[in-house]
Amino acid sequence: MKGGKLIVFSAPSGSGKTTIVRHLLSQEHLNLAFSISATSREPRGDEKDGEDYYFIDLKEFKQHIKNEDFLEWEEVYRDNFYGTLKEEVERIWALGKNVIFDIDVVGGLRIKKKFPNKTLAVFVKPPSVDELKIRLKKRKTENDEKINMRIAKASVEMATAPQFDFIIENDTLEVAFKEAEVLVYNHIQKSSSEEE
Ligand code: 5GP
């Protein structure tokens, strides 16, 4: 696969990684485009198909797995599948842009392993698991059962942080924004001669 760079932001749900990714997308000089994942979960709030996710049903998702259409996929929560379609990355590279991913830790590390030089893998660390719970409750997009499921997973996810290229501690958003900008800028400046 030829094309631009890959930038992965992974973190437990509620750590603020989506806010950081949105900020980076607003920085035109970074020339980024968001990798829209496919998911079998239902849309939440005002999420739009083809913008936040490609919302597809479980049957269609499983067909894509069979066809080997995914660069990576995960059953992130039970019966909630998420995956990056190879076609999506090709689409963004064809636009001459770098791809930014907001995906779970397993998927993020899988992309890093497939494209070690092309990929910058960043882990966004929330201040604490308690803080995570507060944020998820404030968001009011999930019921208590779903929040507890996400919290249980968060502890496991936190343990993978050392496998990433960099860890950003998201205590103060403005500081996290700046750190993320510098990391991405440095990565996209790297010569492509060392790419796979
Ligand atoms: P949410 O339901 O909150 O939108 O996402 C749940 C988790 O799935 C988040 O950690 C999100 O980053 C992750 N996720 C979203 N898209 C993908 C994907 O394409 N692949 C993988 N492995 N995880 C994803």
Side-chain angles (χ1 to χ4, degrees), residues 9-14 17-18 34-39 41-42 44 47 52-53 61 70 72-77 80-85 101-108 110-111 139 142 150 153 157:
F9 273 76
S10 294
S13 180
K17 74 172 180 300
T18 304
F34 181 64
S35 165
I36 304 166
S37 298
T39 183
R41 83 149 161 77
E42 296 290 320
R44 213 167 50 199
E47 286 179 332
D52 300 281
Y53 283 106
F61 200 102
F70 287 114
E72 62 77 36
W73 63 270
E74 275 302 307
E75 185 176 7
V76 178
Y77 305 105
N80 282 188
F81 287 72
Y82 297 79
T84 306
L85 290 161
F101 302 86
D102 172 345
I103 65 179
D104 92 314
V105 295
V106 181
R110 202 162 272 161
I111 289 179
R139 195 159 88 175
E142 275 97 355
R150 284 173 186 249
K153 193 166 193 278
E157 290 168 329

Side-chain angles (χ1 to χ4, degrees), residues 66-118:
K66 242 192 194 155
N67 298 348
E68 299 188 0
D69 293 332
F70 287 114
L71 193 58
E72 62 77 36
W73 63 270
E74 275 302 307
E75 185 176 7
V76 178
Y77 305 105
R78 180 140 43 100
D79 279 341
N80 282 188
F81 287 72
Y82 297 79
T84 306
L85 290 161
K86 291 176 187 165
E87 226 173 45
E88 178 66 4
V89 173
E90 299 285 4
R91 175 183 76 80
I92 294 171
W93 279 347
L95 298 172
K97 290 182 174 266
N98 303 299
V99 189
I100 187 160
F101 302 86
D102 172 345
I103 65 179
D104 92 314
V105 295
V106 181
L109 291 171
R110 202 162 272 161
I111 289 179
K112 175 74 190 172
K113 207 169 170 190
K114 276 197 176 156
F115 302 101
N117 297 324
K118 250 186 199 308

Side-chain angles (χ1 to χ4, degrees), residues 4-5 13-14 23 37 41 49-50 56 60 64 71 121 139 150 152 154-155 161 166 175-176 185 190-191:
K5 294 270 176 17
S13 180
H23 168 77
S37 298
R41 83 149 161 77
D49 182 45
I56 60 179
E60 198 183 334
H64 279 304
L71 193 58
R139 195 159 88 175
R150 284 173 186 249
S155 313
F166 291 97
V175 177
Y185 182 76
K190 270 199 224 155
S191 89

